[in-house]
Amino acid sequence: MPNVKIDNFTFKYKNQKPLFKNMTCTFPDHNLSLLTGPSGCGKSTILKMIAGLAPSNWKTTTGKIYLGQRAITAVKPSERTPLVSMMFQDPNQQFVMQTVQEELTFALENIQVPASAIRDKITNALAFCEIPELCERQIISLSGGEKQKVVLAIMVALDSQIMLLDEPFASIDPMAKQAILAKLVELKTNYHKTIIIADHDLNGYQGLADKLFTVDSQRQTVVASAPQQISVILKQHQPVPLKFSLPALRQLPTFELLQFELLRSQRLLIQARSFRFYPGVTLLTGASGSGKSTLLKSLSRLTDYHGTILFQQRPLQKFKSQQLYHQLALVFQQAESQFLAVTVQEELELAYRHRLSTYWTTAKIQTVLTELKLTDTQDQVVYQLSGGQQKKLQVLLLLIRDPEVLLLDEPFAGLDVASIFSLEEILQKHFSTRGRSLIIVSHQLTEQHHFFQYHVHLQQQHLSYQEGLL
Amino acid sequence: MNSAIRLMLVFIIALEISLVANLSLNIAVIIGALAILFWQHLHLKTFLFISLLALLPALGIFLSQLYYGGSHGFYRGIILFSRLYAYVFLGLSFSLTTSPINLAHALEQNLHVPAKFIYGILAALNLLPRLRYEIKVIRANGNMRGKTLHPWQPTLYFKALILAINWSNNLSLAMQSQGFVENEPRTHFSKPIVTKLDWSLSLIILGAVQCIIIFCH
């Protein structure tokens, strides 16, 4: 089995300073390596270069990447898949076909598996990933976690020697993450695969990761941790139990669900005879695929539901679009969907022009930009920012708009701990303490106390308030 | 019948009715296509809806020929009127009876169209329902951010375009990471076959079309 060796490697994007300079490091074979570092540091770039998927706007590279003895440049595209395959961050955009079975068939046909062997390989790959029931399902009807499991099944079916995973867990819950990690460990131990995972979030890797690499943006290189340090570092990243209050029942709710039913492709996701969301900061949790994102979409009237939703004591359907969205806004899971202009500067001006209150001033915006480390990006095109920078900008734009209620769908996905802290502080200081309400779906929970007031857990189609995190 | 053969057949007939002004041929094509459609359980509602939808342009063409077409205006009007319906039902008889995936397999394996096009188009088709939803989201997002996006403003299309470019990039990465390489051989799990019956049926239909052209004026 080959290792992955990066030798004296320099890389820069067009019109940007170099991400890496004379970097040398080796991801050993038959190991599960974890590559970490703050958002935007270039983890994704390293993996794409190893996979031979050069980004379209890359500029100069010197140095070489070896897969075993062979330089990646000497590997023909047709020889690449047996060597290396990759899972991407966004589970929505990795599929060509309509159903899981068609997708796996497509992949196996590509690597020229004989037609007679295809059915067995599909059955085995799905069985290995413990998702045989998804075989006939339409991909559009799967949850994020289920989609990533299907991508894992594709990688298993392709049987590449090196498996790369680029932020694969950013928008799926800890249980799905653990399930996928367990499978990866099995692939490493029993099938001798070389596995490299890029993840900014070190939660859940204790005892599983053999090697830990950290991107050092200052020195433009990647640093390997000493073996005895790895478990120490990973131990610090065990989830910390959080405590929440239970809401006082006598206050007026922001949202009230009555005889409410939410379905996704004929499958019942949520049922609530009567449930209330109260003013304050509410965390919404639940397994991936349980319907948290869909619930936020129904609260912001982007998806259909049965029954009634009262928003500020008035049926949601009675609002005119403009009137409704003057009072509430949804921070989408995909940051790019939220942008309307081209550069960061233009986005900020647009948000400032359409702000609903006079709270934000240019000075305040500048301060927050510094806190979020976005000052240098103002002339950049929003679509070229890193995933983490996009997330931070997106949240800031809707804060400047300043509606009464903000719904946030995975606002911390792809952010490192420091960024999450500063974003939470900003949300608190400039929004929630001013009597405005937040409902947040997040898997990225830090030990920051007193940010979330309430915790709503979604389990077996029911919503309930919880004091602990479960 | 094999989807690729069916596509070629429909294409040739459509070409012939557009080149030859023959009322009998148009009516024969309409009757033939309707026969196939009702045999394949087309709902009466769908049929009426589509017929009504096509009536407006068909009447428009007919009336313009009638009033401005000179001495043969009525006859030309009728030809064009029936030709439009022939196109509509011919197209419908193809699209309602052919699944995209079968057509894709047939085009790839029987007609040897490059796989890159086939799977690119297939993926794009699969993204269509998402596009409709995304446009709804784009407009709602405009309202959330205080900017009403009207269909006549470029922002809406700019956002849709950005989305499409992004999707195409990601899709190409996804295809590559699933082992797809342009111009490399692939195996095929389902093999659409072209039977002798397909060929003879096509020849009979085409022969009948030529007979109508020659003998019925």
Side-chain angles (χ1 to χ4, degrees):
Chain A
M1 288 294 140
N3 59 5
V4 177
K5 193 173 153 205
I6 300 177
D7 186 26
N8 200 21
F9 188 73
T10 300
F11 179 91
K12 82 189 270 287
Y13 280 102
K14 237 176 233 170
N15 311 325
Q16 286 183 29
K17 57 180 194 229
L19 272 174
F20 301 108
K21 225 173 190 173
N22 308 327
M23 168 184 46
T24 296
C25 82
T26 302
F27 299 95
D29 59 339
H30 194 190
N31 266 254
L32 196 156
S33 303
L34 180 57
L35 175 63
T36 188
S39 45
C41 70
K43 303 187 289 290
S44 197
T45 308
I46 297 182
L47 292 199
K48 280 189 185 140
M49 299 305 294
I50 296 174
L53 305 168
S56 53
N57 55 338
W58 61 293
K59 180 80 166 115
T60 33
T61 51
T62 59
K64 281 208 162 128
I65 297 176
Y66 295 93
L67 306 180
Q69 298 301 313
R70 302 179 66 185
I72 181 84
T73 41
V75 178
K76 276 191 277 178
S78 56
E79 299 168 335
R80 209 185 280 143
T81 314
L83 269 176
V84 54
S85 65
M86 184 155 167
M87 183 191 287
F88 298 95
Q89 176 170 357
D90 183 356
N92 285 315
Q93 297 180 357
Q94 302 183 49
F95 300 101
V96 183
M97 312 297 273
Q98 262 182 347
T99 68
V100 173
Q101 186 172 351
E102 285 170 10
E103 192 68 37
L104 278 152
T105 309
F106 170 72
L108 289 168
E109 287 174 345
N110 289 335
I111 56 164
Q112 299 178 51
V113 172
S116 53
I118 285 181
R119 193 176 293 273
D120 283 346
K121 289 224 172 199
I122 292 177
T123 315
N124 292 341
L126 291 174
F128 179 84
C129 298
E130 297 175 30
I131 46 169
E133 71 280 4
L134 299 187
C135 186
E136 311 274 327
R137 287 273 295 275
Q138 297 270 324
I139 285 163
I140 201 168
S141 74
L142 303 179
S143 75
E146 287 171 332
K147 281 178 189 155
Q148 291 301 50
K149 285 181 188 170
V150 171
V151 177
L152 182 68
I154 294 172
M155 294 171 86
V156 170
L158 290 174
D159 201 26
S160 312
Q161 295 174 9
I162 301 162
M163 297 182 170
L164 309 171
L165 298 93
D166 181 15
E167 295 278 356
F169 311 117
S171 49
I172 70 178
D173 68 292
M175 265 168 56
K177 177 173 180 174
Q178 286 310 313
I180 293 180
L181 275 176
K183 289 297 159 194
L184 289 169
V185 170
E186 200 178 330
L187 283 167
K188 177 202 73 176
T189 324
N190 300 346
Y191 301 86
H192 311 291
K193 303 292 181 195
T194 306
I195 293 165
I196 308 174
I197 307 174
D199 198 339
H200 64 280
D201 174 13
L202 296 178
N203 268 318
Y205 286 99
Q206 207 194 359
L208 303 181
D210 304 306
K211 293 280 182 297
L212 178 65
F213 297 87
T214 311
V215 177
D216 184 339
S217 302
Q218 293 297 314
R219 286 157 50 205
Q220 298 162 321
T221 187
V222 168
V223 188
S225 301
Q228 62 274 20
Q229 279 183 335
I230 296 174
S231 67
V232 180
I233 296 172
L234 293 180
K235 209 170 195 167
Q236 292 167 353
H237 284 272
Q238 290 304 301
V240 178
L242 292 175
K243 278 279 163 216
F244 306 92
S245 347
L246 293 177
L249 297 175
R250 247 172 288 159
Q251 51 185 333
L252 281 174
T254 45
F255 287 101
E256 185 164 7
L257 314 179
L258 293 169
Q259 309 299 335
F260 177 79
E261 271 187 6
L262 194 57
L263 302 124
R264 188 204 292 135
S265 2
Q266 278 103 50
R267 204 155 52 92
L268 181 69
L269 288 176
I270 302 175
Q271 197 168 32
R273 197 168 303 154
S274 163
F275 188 86
R276 293 172 160 198
F277 285 97
Y278 293 98
V281 185
T282 308
L283 171 69
L284 177 61
T285 63
S288 68
S290 59
K292 305 176 300 288
S293 295
T294 321
L295 177 60
L296 289 194
K297 282 178 192 157
S298 69
L299 293 180
S300 47
R301 222 171 62 185
L302 288 175
T303 191
D304 297 330
Y305 54 86
H306 300 291
T308 313
I309 297 177
L310 297 179
F311 175 54
Q312 295 170 341
Q313 291 79 54
R314 206 177 138 201
L316 200 60
Q317 298 298 347
K318 291 270 164 69
F319 284 86
K320 284 188 183 142
S321 270
Q322 286 194 30
Q323 185 191 14
L324 177 68
Y325 297 132
H326 263 110
Q327 296 177 61
L328 89 96
L330 171 66
V331 174
F332 301 139
Q333 205 171 82
Q334 265 91 22
E336 289 192 353
S337 311
Q338 210 111 39
F339 298 137
L340 291 171
V342 180
T343 67
V344 176
Q345 185 63 37
E346 286 166 9
E347 281 291 353
L348 289 167
E349 280 164 12
L350 185 91
Y352 189 68
R353 219 171 25 247
H354 293 286
R355 67 199 192 282
L356 292 162
S357 72
T358 51
Y359 175 80
W360 285 91
T361 59
T362 347
K364 265 187 198 148
I365 294 175
Q366 282 309 324
T367 321
V368 172
L369 279 175
T370 320
E371 284 167 15
L372 290 174
K373 302 202 175 80
L374 287 174
T375 332
D376 293 341
T377 62
Q378 292 198 40
D379 297 324
Q380 283 185 35
V381 173
V382 284
Y383 300 98
Q384 286 176 355
L385 297 177
S386 79
Q389 291 170 329
Q390 287 184 339
K391 266 300 18 150
K392 292 190 272 190
L393 176 66
Q394 176 199 17
V395 174
L396 176 60
L397 293 174
L398 286 153
L399 280 179
I400 297 173
R401 168 82 170 156
D402 208 25
E404 291 290 320
V405 177
L406 262 186
L407 312 171
L408 299 99
D409 193 359
E410 299 286 358
F412 310 127
L415 294 185
D416 54 290
V417 180
S419 297
I420 297 178
F421 274 158
S422 57
L423 202 53
E424 281 181 349
E425 249 168 48
I426 289 162
L427 281 166
Q428 206 162 26
K429 183 172 164 201
H430 299 286
F431 198 79
S432 64
T433 50
R434 294 170 48 234
R436 286 158 201 265
S437 301
L438 297 162
I439 301 177
I440 302 177
V441 168
S442 181
H443 294 117
Q444 250 67 37
L445 299 174
T446 60
E447 44 272 66
Q448 176 130 308
H449 291 294
H450 313 304
F451 175 63
F452 295 106
Q453 284 166 276
Y454 310 122
H455 172 212
V456 174
H457 187 63
L458 171 56
Q459 196 173 27
Q460 293 174 330
Q461 288 113 35
H462 287 282
L463 296 160
S464 61
Y465 280 95
Q466 308 278 347
E467 280 182 284
L469 197 53
L470 296 179
Chain B
M1 190 189 258
N2 180 286
S3 308
I5 300 285
R6 204 173 345 174
L7 180 66
M8 290 212 304
L9 190 61
V10 165
F11 190 73
I12 294 172
I13 295 174
L15 197 69
E16 290 204 77
I17 54 176
S18 64
L19 293 176
V20 182
N22 187 320
L23 185 60
S24 320
L25 177 62
N26 292 354
I27 291 170
V29 169
I30 291 173
I31 292 172
L34 282 180
I36 294 172
L37 281 170
F38 282 108
W39 180 52
Q40 296 283 342
H41 309 289
L42 175 75
H43 286 287
L44 196 65
K45 242 189 199 164
T46 324
F47 166 71
L48 288 175
F49 175 72
I50 288 171
S51 307
L52 266 177
L53 211 66
L55 189 63
L56 203 70
L59 265 183
I61 300 171
F62 173 72
L63 290 177
S64 72
Q65 287 296 325
L66 185 66
Y67 290 127
Y68 306 106
S71 52
H72 297 294
F74 178 76
Y75 179 68
R76 275 200 220 143
I78 287 286
I79 292 273
L80 290 180
F81 182 92
S82 58
R83 188 183 282 172
L84 195 127
Y85 270 99
Y87 283 143
V88 168
F89 291 124
L90 195 63
L92 212 58
S93 73
F94 176 74
S95 62
L96 285 188
T97 56
T98 313
S99 84
I101 181 122
N102 283 344
L103 177 63
H105 286 150
L107 286 175
E108 184 191 4
Q109 294 171 52
N110 304 128
L111 294 188
H112 303 287
V113 179
K116 183 172 77 163
F117 287 112
I118 304 289
Y119 289 99
I121 290 170
L122 215 51
L125 279 179
N126 295 340
L127 285 174
L128 274 185
R130 263 193 72 201
L131 188 67
R132 198 175 310 150
Y133 175 75
E134 291 292 341
I135 286 181
K136 184 179 168 185
V137 171
I138 290 171
R139 298 191 69 175
N141 174 46
N143 284 329
M144 287 175 196
R145 298 207 39 206
K147 198 173 173 203
T148 312
L149 302 178
H150 299 289
W152 57 85
Q153 283 174 331
T155 316
L156 193 60
Y157 303 101
F158 174 70
K159 283 299 296 180
L161 202 67
I162 294 269
L163 205 66
I165 292 170
N166 260 333
W167 282 358
S168 79
N169 265 336
N170 294 346
L171 193 67
S172 111
L173 286 184
M175 282 172 75
Q176 288 180 57
S177 71
Q178 290 190 32
F180 182 84
V181 183
E182 215 178 322
N183 300 328
E184 284 294 322
R186 308 174 70 244
T187 51
H188 301 288
F189 180 61
S190 55
K191 296 190 175 76
I193 40 168
V194 184
T195 59
K196 280 194 183 130
L197 186 71
D198 288 349
W199 285 119
S200 25
L201 205 59
S202 315
L203 284 178
I204 291 170
I205 294 172
L206 280 179
V209 169
Q210 310 319 314
C211 286
I212 295 172
I213 293 175
I214 295 166
F215 298 113
C216 309
H217 289 294

